[in-house]
Amino acid sequence: LSQTLRSIAPNRRGVLVAAAAVKLSTSSTLRLSSNLPPLASSLYPPISADGRSLSRSSYSRIEPADLLVFADIIGQNHVITDPFEVLAANTDWPRDCRGQGGHVLRPGCAEEVSAILRHCQKRRIAVVPQGGNTGLAGGGVPVFDELVLSLSRMNRVLESVLHLFSAARSTLAETLSAFEVMDAATMSAVSDNLKLNCPLSGSSEFYALVETASCDASGSNDAGKLDKFLECLVSLNHESAGSIDAVISNDSRQFGAIWALRERAFEALVADCGPAGGYMQFDAAVSDRLDMQRLVLATRAEFGQLDCVIRVAGFGHLGDGNLHLVVTADPAGAAACGLWPRVEAFVYGWLARRRGSISAEHGLGWKRSAYLGHCKSPTAVSVMAGIKRLLDPQGILNPYKVLPPSALSY
Ligand SMILES: Cc1cc2nc3c(=O)[nH]c(=O)nc-3n(C[C@H](O)[C@H](O)[C@H](O)COP(=O)(O)OP(=O)(O)OC[C@H]3O[C@@H](n4cnc5c(N)ncnc54)[C@H](O)[C@@H]3O)c2cc1C
């Protein structure tokens, strides 16, 4: 998607800014595991919840007669039972959990989706909708053997959105299109684990990626605003005794190289120890943007000295107050000292005290459903459960996700 967006907005410029130099020394090793990820049902409920295990609800199992109905609706080719394709649809993007679904359906239009759901409603078959399967909360993969309804063939919607996006960009005079921040720990993971080079020399405490987009084809409007921004940087640098450094991309290759540092940050951090038990990521939202740094520093102060901990890193979207906090650790050491429940309790407790949100943009899936009470009142949760029951009276739509089972009774 980002490549497509770049090709329709060729006048965009990227600036990487580094601020306040600080030395950082961490070590990491790259270990990739080829093992299958653990079953989502064995990890549910999330580790520091009340410890009650989850059992499969009494949904109907998919019978050969159901497959015939589905084939009639979407064609045999789009009823997927091939084990490799089914495994891919059962496994989430970070490869840290796996569902046990046996079938994937790939409808091609809204009418086919409706016909499939009508049949599932009649037979009480549980369904998980799946788009690109890049979600990070376990929402797009089955917990047990739910039917995966893949919308991957329905990409005409995306084309329409891109046209709309392109039209909006040409009519709106907004030139700032992204302002992303990464801390030094994140940047060091990107260079240690992915061997991507930061174009700025030395080490800095923070890096900001500023992207601008031209409104007119010549790009002159953009260039004028960019010049003003750079003048501000020069005076800020003067005031802060030379602690700010910056680089501007001159061509699409450099632009892509700068963006890769940010876009591959999560992948780089997971590579510290592999997905199985070696990391925990949070998707926090805070109203005071300084809390983005405070939360990283507080988590690092609490856990950074433990032998098993490799890195406590933060990056995110400054404009939205959205922080991706990632802690990586040696899996065996983390298990031995019960690290992950402690990290989770610490971070969610900190956010609750600061009135932050436990999920800014990745959603709750099943991984965060047990913590909904940290940022929503019992009344709000009960209203949400009421709406869910109203729209989905049999509970077949993406069960076990978002709302804790205790909030729903079918
Ligand atoms: C490297 C990386 C970087 C990311 N950066 C960002 C970021 O900058 N900003 C951001 O917002 N997010 C980011 N994300 C997370 C983001 O939430 C997901 O990547 C993306 O939005 C999910 O889209 P998807 O089509 O892959 O959905 P999936 O993973 O397939 O599904 C996600 C959820 O939506 C449901 N769903 C999917 N399609 C439908 C449908 N048609 N109808 C109803 N429900 C549906 C699924 O059941 C599931 O619960 C990032 C993820 C990765 C891996």
Side-chain angles (χ1 to χ4, degrees):
L1 175 64
S2 55
Q3 274 170 1
T4 315
L5 291 179
R6 267 174 220 149
S7 69
I8 63 170
N11 296 323
R12 297 197 308 168
R13 306 285 297 275
V15 183
L16 187 69
V17 184
V22 157
K23 283 271 174 239
L24 185 98
S25 67
T26 50
S27 65
S28 71
T29 51
L30 175 61
R31 273 184 252 153
L32 293 175
S33 161
S34 58
N35 295 337
L36 287 177
L39 293 177
S41 57
S42 70
L43 300 172
Y44 194 107
I47 46 186
S48 65
D50 59 11
R52 281 180 302 164
S53 61
L54 182 81
S55 52
R56 183 187 182 280
S57 298
S58 57
Y59 298 111
S60 303
R61 309 241 177 224
I62 297 169
E63 306 287 347
D66 297 312
L67 296 180
L68 289 177
V69 173
F70 296 140
D72 204 34
I73 297 169
I74 57 176
Q76 185 65 50
N77 285 351
H78 303 301
V79 178
I80 311 297
T81 51
D82 172 76
F84 288 104
E85 289 191 65
V86 171
L87 177 64
N90 270 292
T91 309
D92 72 345
W93 187 89
R95 289 184 54 79
D96 61 5
C97 72
R98 176 169 51 103
Q100 302 162 68
H103 307 91
V104 180
L105 302 185
R106 293 199 181 125
C109 62
E111 290 72 26
E112 292 180 359
V113 172
S114 295
I116 291 168
L117 288 178
R118 250 195 311 277
H119 181 74
C120 292
Q121 179 76 8
K122 195 168 93 190
R123 286 265 298 117
R124 199 160 184 265
I125 293 171
V127 180
V128 179
Q130 187 175 90
N133 194 15
T134 64
L136 300 172
V141 291
V143 172
F144 291 98
D145 56 354
E146 297 85 79
L147 174 68
V148 177
L149 189 61
S150 165
L151 288 313
S152 55
R153 284 176 64 218
M154 295 176 62
N155 52 10
R156 287 190 305 276
V157 178
L158 181 62
E159 282 169 30
S160 310
V161 173
L162 288 179
H163 286 135
L164 189 66
F165 180 74
S166 177
R169 291 284 284 263
S170 63
T171 52
L172 298 173
E174 182 61 73
T175 57
L176 177 64
S177 53
F179 197 110
E180 304 282 316
V181 284
M182 297 166 67
D183 67 7
T186 306
M187 185 63 92
S188 70
V190 172
S191 70
D192 290 350
N193 294 340
L194 303 182
K195 308 296 174 213
L196 297 180
N197 291 327
C198 173
L200 296 163
S201 57
S203 178
S204 298
E205 196 174 359
F206 290 106
Y207 299 82
L209 192 160
V210 184
E211 186 195 78
T212 63
S214 299
C215 308
D216 57 282
S218 70
S220 55
N221 186 27
D222 189 17
K225 292 191 173 170
L226 193 59
D227 284 348
K228 284 211 175 83
F229 173 67
L230 293 176
E231 280 167 24
C232 281
L233 273 186
V234 171
S235 70
L236 275 173
N237 193 33
H238 186 66
E239 285 166 25
S240 62
S243 65
I244 296 177
D245 196 2
V247 63
I248 308 174
S249 71
N250 289 320
D251 55 37
S252 58
R253 193 189 55 79
Q254 278 183 322
F255 178 81
I258 289 179
W259 258 112
L261 297 168
R262 163 62 185 88
E263 285 178 335
R264 300 187 65 190
F266 180 59
E267 177 191 344
L269 287 160
V270 172
D272 264 352
C273 256
Y279 82 99
M280 180 164 273
Q281 56 105 2
F282 299 89
D283 170 40
V286 289
S287 50
D288 177 350
R289 290 190 188 119
L290 285 176
D291 276 352
M292 292 173 72
Q293 185 191 12
R294 290 187 190 119
L295 178 54
V296 176
L297 292 179
T299 309
R300 195 174 289 148
E302 187 77 12
F303 302 103
Q305 305 309 317
L306 296 179
D307 285 345
C308 63
V309 171
I310 296 171
R311 247 184 272 260
V312 178
F315 59 96
H317 319 288
L318 191 78
D320 304 336
N322 173 201
L323 169 73
H324 301 304
L325 168 68
V326 182
V327 181
T328 63
D330 166 60
C337 70
L339 177 68
W340 301 129
R342 287 162 58 197
V343 171
E344 204 163 45
F346 176 83
V347 172
Y348 287 144
W350 196 96
L351 283 169
R353 284 193 300 281
R354 298 288 301 169
R355 295 182 169 275
S357 170
I358 63 169
S359 180
E361 59 182 20
H362 293 169
L364 300 177
W366 62 264
K367 293 180 184 172
R368 298 193 185 93
S369 62
Y371 307 104
L372 188 58
H374 280 72
C375 61
K376 294 282 177 243
S377 68
T379 310
V381 174
S382 126
V383 170
M384 289 167 74
I387 294 171
K388 164 80 172 163
R389 270 193 297 270
L390 197 65
L391 296 175
D392 179 20
Q394 298 207 74
I396 65 164
L397 300 179
N398 217 355
Y400 323 111
K401 314 284 172 57
V402 180
L403 289 161
S406 55
L408 277 174
S409 55
Y410 280 102

